[in-house]
Amino acid sequence: MARAGRRGAQMLVAAVLAVGLIVMMVLVNVYEMHSLFLRTRSPVVREVVAAVTADFKRALEAMLALATRAYFNYTEFADFTERFASYGMSMYNRHNFTVARGVALAFLEYWRQSVVKAYGAYGVQVSYELLRLDLSRELGRPRSVYSLMKGYWYLPTSGSYACAKLRLNLTALGFYNWESDVFVGLTLTVYRRPVAVTSANTTIVINVRQDGDIDYSTSPPSVRGSPYGRLITGGWIRVYYPERDAQGRYTGAWRLARIKDVTYGGMGNYTVTFEPAVEVLTDPLTGEQYAPLMVVVSDERGVVVEASTYGYLVIALERRTPDTLVYYDSSREKQTLARPSDISNEVYTLEMGSDLALYWLGQRLPVDPALRLPPFPYVPIKQIRVNASLDGTPRTLVERPIQYENWTTTLWRPANVPVDLPVGLADPQLDFAKGDRYNTRLVFQVGFPSASVKRQLVALWWLDDLDAEPAAYPTQIRYVRDQAHKDVWHPLYDVEFVDLEHPQSRGYANYGGVAALVLRDPVTDYALGPYNLHAFDVYGGYLGRYRPYGTWNVYYSYMRYSWIQAPIRIFAVLNTTLVGNVYAGGDVRGDYYATLAIVQVVNGTRYVPIITYVYWLKSQEGKGYWMAAEMGRGVADWFLYLTAGLQAVGGVKLQNWTYNSPFPWRSDPPVECYPDPGVMLAHWSSSLGRALVLNWAGVRALSSVGGSNARFCTTKFAPSGERQGSIEYAFWPYNVEETVGAGTLVRFWAVIFDFRAAGPGFLSTSTTDMWKNAYIYAPMFLEAYAPIVRPP
Amino acid sequence: MGRRGQVRIVEAVLAVSMVVAVILLLMHFTRPLRSVFIRETSDLRRLGYNLLNNLAENRIYERVLSDLIYAANAYFAQQGACPPGGGSRRLDDLAFFASAILPQGLLFRIDVYTVHHALRNGSAVVCPLGYAANYDVGRVALTEAEPLVYTYVCTGDPDRVRGSVLLIHLTIGYSG
């Protein structure tokens, strides 16, 4: 038994061994089959994955090239960019990276479909997801690429980037979950200081990096570009330098430099020599030296980067308003008036043109010749911002609202004189570039909160993010247009524009198409009476028969960004050759004078400037000729005017003499007029004061056209018999008949200034002396006291 | 009992052996490729993709086909259809570059198509641009040939073709 059992056990062991061997043989054979399968499959997988990944990268490259070429110069690369117009990449959207991104996503979707169909035999499934990669090390500032692609331009280190994660399955080959992070990039660093400037040439060094490695040790993963050595053979470089006029001042335009030599020094460094010699400037904030240049490079894939050697412009604005004012009282005694330390109502609303000129009330500001102000790079307007200091020091530079407007210098046809005319708010996606006739103006405000601050710093800078939107700032002004309103609301006054479109002023007169602006109480909507732009002759017993007749064009929102209201000012423009009669409908004439008026309603200020041009088409004779008049609707209890010193009053020529004013409301005589009107008229009550400040050109025009007949007048009653109490600048009063000659041109600005008896920025005065709170601000509206632009 | 058990073990071993033998026989007969063919297939694929990648990396497609791609794009943009005559057009410049890259003795045919995206209905339309070959395609037949497919987004100069999408069919093999 024991023997038989031993033999059986041996048989069992032998059988297990035999079965084991057979199973092992089967396993080896299966393994061989599997490896054979892998060997036959892997070349296909490898090659297909590599081919699809490479093509995905090419698709990204093409789309980044499209976006950046369109952003840089759509028309120059129209062969490329226009082919994608049907996708949305139109000339209109050339500076819209959001649209470019949408085009890229649509293109990638079509590409995906193409790949799925092309590699259908392998069962290809393709998708991609958007990545975020950190560019801080690459750009030297905290930036990242996300949402498929991003561009950071116009600074010394600039770049264009795209990235996405590709996901791939080859279902027919049993290959799943392939992922590949694809990154496309081009980075340009321009070393700010040139390495050499000779009498004819400038030599700079740039560094160019393309694509690069992704470092997954950081979160999010970061990239560092690889040196790009094919700029000379595969890409191109352009250098732009700022144009200067014969006096050496920058004009605001750019010129393409003539590149004489480009040398590759390895590691992505290139030495570029070009004509001409460029002035080396000093950065006012850092003290670094730099040559003001724009450098643009493109690689062989068409990806473009634009860099600038500077990222901001800094100027100093120096106020020239006197802190102690002089006037002569009604006794002809010289008096001085010290401004309060708080002069917070001295806020200048400045314009800076793309020609680098600064304007205040349409007047070009004087510039210190020592100021070296290079132009803005070719940056879209939407990316421009402004900082202004609070106390004149760089540490208080804070961002302020900015507004972009389109202006043109054009011949005003009736008079054939050149005028600067606003033609609307700008399209923020256009370049802030100097034009021959059309120029964009940046509008910003600089305040002088206290008398101790004489200079303020202003830094104009630009965002490097091509996705930047125009800034929307909170504002207290708003345009309201409906059947009852054509108004601009302001916290201090509601300005109602009456004209052909909106003849009926609410609760007031029907102007029958005559264009004027009615100031209203912003709380009660009570009409305080109109400001009449100009008036001529009488109509029976009524004053001011012919007044400008037409329609105000009100500009209050940006093109394409219609939801962004003008943050700083809303302006209305009247351009007409007609005059009309408020007293008789249909009495409209085209043989009197043409009027061009620009009215600004300015946020955060107490003034409404009105720039006016009047040109006489035919000679006309009439009783009374008014330059400008502000009605009162009985609100004012006191009146004041200052003399010009151009005409003798009581045998004396004296400037800023109050003569017999201030005087209180009195019903008799019905019209009161005084000679030699000067820079300011005012009427007020204890709660509300309004002044008209006339510039010196206007004061002189009063005298040159009206001669000794020039008058300040106040009309006591309206035609309805209601109390009026206006303040009027008249070339000659209603009871004088004179002729104004054809070809007479009158240009002036008047500023309506709101003042109170006390409060921030004002002296505490009695009601009688309230006018002084207008007088302390009047100089800021006069030509001689306009601020001067100096080096910081 | 003990002898009968041993016989059953022998039977089991024989049964397993027969099953394995049948499996091996089946595997032998169902083996998909001969080793020589496996090697040739892998090599041809590698060669083919190397060729296509080389042409892509050097932007040969844009250089030699830019006029045709531009014309095809323009035609499709205007007519909404493929330009006529594309299928029979010989692309000799492309054939020249391909011949320079491939080793001697191999025959190839590269059919190039432009891919147009019809934005209205979201479809992709493929239009033949022509073919490049180093043999007389009408007379010579390929043996042991390997077909490859490739997509290519043009990224090189000139601008007028940048962003165009190509579909490329490559057939590579030996003369029969």
Side-chain angles (χ1 to χ4, degrees):
Chain A
M1 267 305 280
R3 215 170 166 176
R6 224 175 12 248
R7 198 178 299 145
Q10 287 168 354
M11 282 292 289
L12 187 65
V13 169
V16 167
L17 281 173
V19 169
L21 276 172
I22 290 166
V23 169
M24 282 179 67
M25 209 169 74
V26 169
L27 287 175
V28 167
N29 221 301
V30 168
Y31 174 77
E32 276 185 353
M33 287 294 292
H34 182 65
S35 61
L36 173 71
F37 174 71
L38 285 179
R39 268 187 288 129
T40 53
R41 186 195 68 166
S42 63
V44 181
V45 170
R46 275 204 311 268
E47 302 300 348
V48 171
V49 166
V52 173
T53 307
D55 206 38
F56 181 66
K57 189 177 183 198
R58 282 193 292 269
L60 272 186
E61 289 168 353
M63 288 302 100
L64 187 60
L66 175 68
T68 54
R69 270 168 138 71
Y71 211 93
F72 171 59
N73 192 335
Y74 185 92
T75 47
E76 180 182 348
F77 305 108
D79 277 351
F80 179 28
T81 51
E82 278 188 352
R83 280 192 290 114
F84 289 86
S86 58
Y87 285 71
M89 194 71 261
S90 59
M91 176 75 176
Y92 179 72
N93 289 320
R94 63 193 179 278
H95 284 152
N96 191 330
F97 232 56
T98 304
V99 169
R101 188 174 289 114
V103 171
L105 291 171
F107 180 82
L108 288 178
E109 175 55 24
Y110 285 119
W111 171 87
R112 194 188 68 77
Q113 291 176 16
S114 303
V115 166
V116 168
K117 286 175 185 166
Y119 296 93
Y122 303 118
V124 166
Q125 294 175 336
V126 187
S127 65
Y128 61 90
E129 76 177 52
L130 305 182
L131 273 183
R132 176 183 283 268
L133 296 177
D134 183 29
L135 297 167
S136 305
R137 283 194 296 167
E138 182 68 355
L139 288 170
R141 54 190 185 275
R143 297 287 184 274
S144 55
V145 51
Y146 52 90
S147 301
L148 193 66
M149 55 189 185
K150 293 290 287 181
Y152 299 102
W153 288 12
Y154 312 119
L155 291 183
T157 297
S158 300
S160 305
Y161 309 98
C163 69
K165 183 191 285 292
L166 178 70
R167 295 184 190 279
L168 191 63
N169 296 330
L170 301 177
T171 56
L173 300 174
F175 183 82
Y176 293 92
N177 298 326
W178 171 264
E179 288 183 355
S180 179
D181 292 345
V182 179
F183 171 71
V184 178
L186 187 68
T187 306
L188 167 65
T189 298
V190 184
Y191 294 97
R192 302 183 70 193
R193 187 176 180 174
V195 290
V197 180
T198 67
S199 59
N201 300 329
T202 308
T203 302
I204 59 169
V205 172
I206 65 168
N207 180 271
V208 188
R209 299 179 293 283
Q210 191 189 55
D211 297 349
D213 300 320
I214 301 176
D215 178 1
Y216 292 95
S217 66
T218 60
S219 179
S222 58
V223 288
R224 181 72 185 162
S226 305
Y228 177 60
R230 298 185 299 280
L231 185 65
I232 299 170
T233 56
W236 50 257
I237 176 172
R238 288 182 198 170
V239 178
Y240 296 86
Y241 66 95
E243 181 187 72
R244 290 199 282 173
D245 62 15
Q247 286 75 44
R249 289 173 303 211
Y250 293 109
T251 65
W254 289 92
R255 288 185 168 257
L256 186 62
R258 183 167 166 262
I259 293 179
K260 300 185 76 177
D261 183 54
V262 182
T263 306
Y264 184 48
M267 295 303 290
N269 292 313
Y270 296 85
T271 305
V272 185
T273 301
F274 60 89
E275 278 183 347
V278 174
E279 185 180 27
V280 177
L281 305 177
T282 302
D283 187 314
L285 297 183
T286 65
E288 286 179 64
Q289 288 195 307
Y290 70 100
L293 296 171
M294 275 196 307
V295 180
V296 185
V297 298
S298 170
D299 63 13
E300 68 275 18
R301 307 171 299 186
V303 180
V304 172
V305 179
E306 183 175 348
S308 162
T309 52
Y310 52 103
Y312 46 78
L313 307 173
V314 185
I315 57 171
L317 194 76
E318 188 176 293
R319 72 177 174 88
R320 295 193 292 174
T321 46
D323 290 331
T324 302
L325 294 102
V326 173
Y327 69 96
Y328 294 88
D329 65 15
S330 53
S331 311
R332 229 165 70 194
E333 293 293 322
K334 184 176 180 178
Q335 302 288 342
T336 57
L337 178 64
R339 302 176 87 192
S341 59
D342 175 0
I343 54 167
S344 51
N345 293 314
E346 185 161 336
V347 178
Y348 294 91
T349 304
L350 302 175
E351 300 148 20
M352 184 178 196
S354 42
D355 55 357
L356 303 175
L358 279 109
Y359 301 87
W360 160 236
L361 297 173
Q363 170 190 213
R364 193 168 179 150
L365 295 183
V367 179
D368 187 329
L371 176 67
R372 312 304 296 154
L373 198 64
F376 287 82
Y378 285 135
V379 57
I381 296 161
K382 65 191 173 80
Q383 290 172 237
I384 298 175
R385 300 288 185 271
V386 67
N387 284 20
S389 63
L390 299 172
D391 62 2
T393 62
R395 65 185 169 78
T396 58
L397 277 169
V398 290
E399 187 175 346
R400 297 292 179 83
I402 189 167
Q403 179 167 319
Y404 322 112
E405 296 172 357
N406 281 340
W407 287 68
T408 182
T409 302
T410 184
L411 276 183
W412 184 42
R413 285 292 168 208
N416 260 354
V417 294
V419 293
D420 284 340
L421 192 64
V423 287
L425 267 63
D427 178 351
Q429 290 189 15
L430 295 184
D431 277 330
F432 187 64
K434 182 181 179 297
D436 291 331
R437 292 176 59 228
Y438 285 90
N439 277 299
T440 305
R441 288 189 184 179
L442 307 173
V443 182
F444 52 91
Q445 293 179 316
V446 179
F448 290 86
S450 77
S452 62
V453 178
K454 296 279 188 190
R455 280 161 58 105
Q456 291 285 35
L457 292 177
V458 177
L460 294 137
W461 52 284
W462 41 94
L463 294 166
D464 61 345
D465 188 348
L466 303 192
D467 278 307
E469 295 280 297
Y473 299 96
T475 180
Q476 294 181 299
I477 53 172
R478 191 156 73 91
Y479 179 57
V480 181
R481 180 75 181 100
D482 56 34
Q483 279 214 320
H485 297 81
K486 188 173 183 179
D487 292 23
V488 178
W489 289 355
H490 183 287
L492 292 177
Y493 37 79
D494 167 12
V495 181
E496 180 187 25
F497 289 93
V498 289
D499 59 5
L500 267 169
E501 280 183 355
H502 177 64
Q504 176 65 56
S505 173
R506 294 186 305 285
Y508 194 60
N510 187 323
Y511 261 58
V514 164
L517 47 140
V518 179
L519 296 181
R520 311 182 73 93
D521 185 307
V523 178
T524 63
D525 200 34
Y526 182 75
L528 302 170
Y531 171 90
N532 291 317
L533 297 167
H534 217 64
F536 186 76
D537 208 358
V538 295
Y539 183 71
Y542 301 139
L543 310 185
R545 176 177 182 174
Y546 287 123
R547 307 181 192 182
Y549 178 93
T551 302
W552 291 103
N553 285 318
V554 183
Y555 301 108
Y556 61 98
S557 65
Y558 289 112
M559 291 169 71
R560 92 169 82 204
Y561 295 91
S562 55
W563 61 92
I564 301 180
Q565 291 264 320
I568 293 183
R569 64 183 180 186
I570 292 172
F571 53 88
V573 177
L574 173 76
N575 192 354
T576 180
T577 55
L578 300 177
V579 293
N581 184 349
V582 294
Y583 310 111
D587 185 9
V588 178
R589 301 283 291 268
D591 56 350
Y592 274 73
Y593 58 85
T595 310
L596 174 63
I598 304 161
V599 179
Q600 305 169 21
V601 180
V602 189
N603 185 46
T605 66
R606 310 189 79 96
Y607 54 80
V608 180
I610 301 131
I611 298 170
T612 311
Y613 298 80
V614 170
Y615 180 75
W616 281 85
L617 305 166
K618 295 260 175 73
S619 292
Q620 297 289 355
E621 188 178 41
K623 283 187 168 181
Y625 178 24
W626 292 263
M627 172 182 263
E630 182 178 84
M631 301 297 109
R633 214 179 176 198
V635 173
D637 298 323
W638 288 88
F639 301 85
L640 171 131
Y641 93 109
L642 296 174
T643 58
L646 298 176
Q647 307 287 340
V649 180
V652 179
K653 282 187 180 178
L654 206 55
Q655 200 176 91
N656 295 334
W657 178 18
T658 64
Y659 191 48
N660 66 345
S661 63
F663 58 83
W665 158 264
R666 48 200 174 207
S667 58
D668 193 49
V671 179
E672 213 166 333
C673 292
Y674 296 100
D676 193 31
V679 295
M680 194 179 93
L681 313 178
H683 56 169
W684 67 92
S685 66
S686 59
S687 60
L688 172 70
R690 282 177 293 149
L692 267 187
V693 181
L694 183 66
N695 70 337
W696 265 102
V699 173
R700 280 191 290 270
L702 278 171
S703 192
S704 64
V705 175
S708 59
N709 288 318
R711 291 288 184 276
F712 149 67
C713 293
T714 174
T715 304
K716 305 301 175 60
F717 295 99
S720 62
E722 288 180 332
R723 192 170 141 175
Q724 181 66 278
S726 60
I727 47 176
E728 304 162 15
Y729 278 112
F731 294 97
W732 57 81
Y734 73 101
N735 53 0
V736 175
E737 188 166 19
E738 288 284 345
T739 300
V740 59
T744 300
L745 175 68
V746 181
R747 54 172 97 185
F748 62 95
W749 71 70
V751 177
I752 303 171
F753 185 78
D754 174 282
F755 61 95
R756 306 295 155 105
F762 289 125
L763 300 162
S764 289
T765 64
S766 65
T767 302
T768 316
D769 283 342
M770 251 177 78
W771 65 273
K772 291 175 181 173
N773 275 336
Y775 188 50
I776 58 174
Y777 288 106
M780 67 180 279
F781 305 112
L782 303 177
E783 297 94 323
Y785 300 104
I788 186 168
V789 185
R790 293 198 186 278
Chain B
M1 267 305 277
R3 193 168 296 161
R4 223 175 5 207
Q6 289 170 3
V7 169
R8 291 216 174 124
I9 290 171
V10 170
E11 283 173 356
V13 170
L14 282 173
V16 170
S17 303
M18 283 175 69
V19 168
V20 170
V22 167
I23 290 172
L24 290 178
L25 196 68
L26 282 173
M27 284 170 69
H28 179 76
F29 281 115
T30 57
R31 177 171 287 179
L33 300 163
R34 288 172 291 136
S35 63
V36 61
F37 192 73
I38 293 164
R39 193 191 73 241
E40 292 294 348
T41 299
S42 302
D43 290 346
L44 283 176
R45 279 178 181 158
R46 282 201 193 94
L47 270 174
Y49 275 112
N50 272 342
L51 168 67
L52 296 171
N53 284 330
N54 270 327
L55 294 174
E57 283 167 11
N58 292 290
R59 298 192 166 80
I60 300 298
Y61 301 118
E62 292 95 325
R63 288 186 193 182
V64 301
L65 301 177
S66 59
D67 289 344
L68 290 173
I69 297 170
Y70 173 72
N73 285 341
Y75 189 91
F76 189 86
Q78 286 172 3
Q79 308 291 332
C82 297
S88 57
R89 183 186 292 117
R90 285 186 67 92
L91 308 173
D92 290 333
D93 288 344
L94 184 61
F96 168 77
F97 282 104
S99 301
I101 294 169
L102 282 176
Q104 293 287 322
L106 281 172
L107 301 184
F108 67 86
R109 172 181 171 138
I110 304 172
D111 288 279
V112 183
Y113 304 84
T114 51
V115 182
H116 306 275
H117 299 121
L119 293 178
R120 266 181 243 137
N121 54 18
S123 64
V125 179
V126 175
C127 295
L129 203 64
Y131 71 93
N134 62 349
Y135 65 98
D136 186 342
V137 296
R139 294 186 182 173
V140 180
L142 294 182
T143 58
E144 294 188 356
E146 190 63 22
L148 304 176
V149 68
Y150 198 72
T151 54
Y152 182 79
V153 178
C154 299
T155 58
D157 284 330
D159 265 334
R160 61 199 173 124
V161 300
R162 195 169 261 135
S164 303
V165 182
L166 303 181
L167 173 65
I168 299 165
H169 281 169
L170 168 65
T171 309
I172 186 168
Y174 298 97
S175 170

